[in-house]
Amino acid sequence: MGLQETKIESLPFVNAELNYLAPTAAKPRTYAFDPPPREPKSTALPEPHQVPIFDARLIAQNISLDREGFALVRHPTRVRDFYNDEEVRAVYYPAVEAFLRATLKADRVVIFDHTVRKRVDGAADIRGAGPRQPATRVHVDQTILSGANRVREHLPDEADELLKGRVQVINLWRPIRGPLRDSPLAMADGTTVEPGDLVASDLIYPNRRGETYSVKYNPNHRWFYFPEMTPDEALLLKCYDSATDGRPRFGPHTAFVDPTTPLDAPPRESIELRTLVFHKQ
């Protein structure tokens, strides 16, 4: 049973502000480093909207990565220190690879990077300067162009053959400490997102140019979150899917300020792994 058969309006919810993309004439772009003189760091300006975000705990079993573009999974971990890159790569990477291969019935899983985040009041989100801050704008990590390019970038010798099958970019996101009450993650039901809501946006690095989707406001979007996630839980987020059979290919998501968060709640700490998931079909 999918969410279309579920009485969403009966679920608990919070009203919260989400930062969509403000209208812009040119293609939005953001520098991942200090911009050139007299250039703004980003031309992707926020347009805040108050929206209901529904508590998906009671309907978690009805939510599917293939249908809605996200899913809650139970995934205990033996990692002791997620701030230790060596331990994350040696212990967490192989465990996640095996878990995703089994859970998604994939032929192959390749992890290409990870990001640790910790919210610090008033801190800017600067790459390469310690833990990143939560991403507080509605976005998708990849686009039609950059999703396929990830395969070419990380597996250049095999890319042509791999791209003949189904390719997904899946983000596995989890809190490092919990229960998480600060800056939780909201996910849009992919069945409520229109292709025209997604705006390709340049992400400029010192040595290359990536592309993500910013998202325009659409009152039909339906948003969900899983309150008080524990470190034994994780979210699967669909960031790209090469399948064109009608299923959602992209899952917009964002951190948000939960108005019910206690004032003494510890700041959010989380880790996300970005992975290439292959099916030969």
Side-chain angles (χ1 to χ4, degrees):
M1 183 174 70
L3 296 189
Q4 60 273 21
E5 291 91 23
T6 304
K7 292 185 177 179
I8 303 300
E9 65 275 8
S10 68
L11 295 175
F13 67 93
V14 296
N15 279 309
E17 186 175 273
L18 300 187
N19 290 311
Y20 282 91
L21 176 70
T24 177
K27 183 180 184 181
R29 60 112 188 98
T30 298
Y31 284 97
F33 58 99
D34 286 337
R38 295 181 294 281
E39 287 248 15
K41 187 172 180 62
S42 178
T43 61
L45 300 179
E47 182 181 82
H49 286 269
Q50 285 279 335
V51 301
I53 305 175
F54 292 95
D55 178 348
R57 285 278 180 194
L58 295 175
I59 58 168
Q61 71 280 4
N62 297 337
I63 294 174
S64 157
L65 182 67
D66 248 359
R67 190 177 48 243
E68 285 80 31
F70 65 95
L72 179 72
V73 293
R74 179 165 173 77
H75 184 235
T77 175
R78 294 187 297 111
V79 177
R80 295 179 179 275
D81 182 5
F82 281 103
Y83 292 96
N84 182 326
D85 257 13
E86 289 184 7
E87 183 180 5
V88 168
R89 293 179 187 277
V91 178
Y92 196 47
Y93 273 34
V96 169
E97 179 187 338
F99 174 77
L100 291 182
R101 228 178 28 246
T103 302
L104 304 181
K105 297 177 172 59
D107 294 301
R108 185 177 178 188
V109 173
V110 175
I111 299 169
F112 60 87
D113 71 11
H114 73 274
T115 299
V116 176
R117 300 182 189 270
K118 180 177 182 179
R119 190 183 65 76
V120 179
D121 274 335
D125 184 23
I126 301 173
R127 295 168 191 268
R132 300 279 306 280
Q133 298 300 299
T136 55
R137 62 182 183 88
V138 181
H139 68 285
V140 183
D141 295 18
Q142 308 293 333
T143 67
I144 287 178
L145 177 65
S146 66
N149 280 346
R150 281 291 184 184
V151 182
R152 298 186 181 99
E153 177 185 353
H154 299 291
L155 299 164
D157 296 337
E158 306 170 72
D160 288 345
E161 190 63 30
L162 290 169
L163 287 168
K164 293 177 182 176
R166 182 186 178 196
V167 180
Q168 297 181 87
V169 179
I170 302 298
N171 183 334
L172 186 133
W173 183 101
R174 78 187 313 133
I176 290 173
R177 310 193 195 289
L180 183 78
R181 298 186 176 98
D182 175 71
S183 295
L185 209 62
M187 289 74 61
D189 175 356
T191 65
T192 68
V193 179
E194 299 291 336
D197 300 337
L198 305 176
V199 180
S201 307
D202 284 332
L203 186 55
I204 304 171
Y205 296 91
N207 57 347
R208 68 179 181 91
R209 185 177 293 244
E211 192 176 69
T212 64
Y213 279 131
S214 302
V215 183
K216 295 191 294 187
Y217 175 69
N218 181 334
N220 293 325
H221 290 168
R222 195 161 51 186
W223 287 93
F224 295 92
Y225 79 122
F226 295 94
E228 301 200 359
M229 284 183 64
T230 68
D232 282 347
E233 296 178 310
L235 290 168
L236 299 177
L237 307 172
K238 185 185 287 193
C239 299
Y240 168 79
D241 194 338
S242 66
T244 56
D245 55 4
R247 73 188 93 192
R249 301 179 65 190
F250 304 97
H253 54 277
T254 179
F256 72 99
V257 177
D258 181 349
T260 68
T261 298
L263 291 177
D264 60 351
R268 188 244 266 192
E269 296 177 72
S270 61
I271 184 170
E272 61 219 50
L273 257 63
R274 283 172 285 272
T275 72
L276 292 167
V277 178
F278 298 100
H279 297 266
K280 293 176 183 175
Q281 294 181 307

